Amino acid sequence: QRVQAKDIVGAIAGEAGIPGKLVGTIDIYDKYTFVEVPKENAKKVLDKMKNIKIKGNKINIEKANTRRK
């Protein structure tokens, strides 16, 4: 869908109002993407990003499961 990391950072910064430099690692796969944000900003990002589009694509956003060690 030609979405790049900079598009995701821009959307999060614009919608959630947090600086783009706070967005951590972004792993883009064919069917899903993982985006690392500070724990204290996670709820705000989830709430603000629910009904937006990135490059014309509606997104589904949810908290990732905890990584098993």
Side-chain angles (χ1 to χ4, degrees):
Q1 295 173 352
R2 298 196 177 111
V3 173
Q4 298 178 337
K6 66 181 180 178
D7 302 318
I8 296 167
V9 172
I12 291 172
E15 295 294 325
I18 65 169
K21 66 183 179 183
L22 291 182
V23 177
T25 303
I26 298 176
D27 295 322
I28 300 174
Y29 300 98
D30 289 339
K31 301 281 183 187
Y32 55 89
T33 298
F34 289 107
V35 180
E36 184 179 38
V37 295
K39 195 173 204 167
E40 59 269 14
N41 298 107
K43 182 168 177 14
K44 184 176 185 179
V45 171
L46 287 168
D47 291 343
K48 297 290 186 177
M49 300 293 289
K50 281 201 181 202
N51 297 309
I52 70 150
K53 293 182 178 183
I54 298 178
K55 291 193 95 172
N57 299 300
K58 184 172 177 356
I59 65 165
N60 294 317
I61 185 167
E62 62 187 55
K63 183 178 176 184
N65 295 329
T66 303
R67 189 182 301 175
R68 294 182 186 171
K69 293 183 180 186

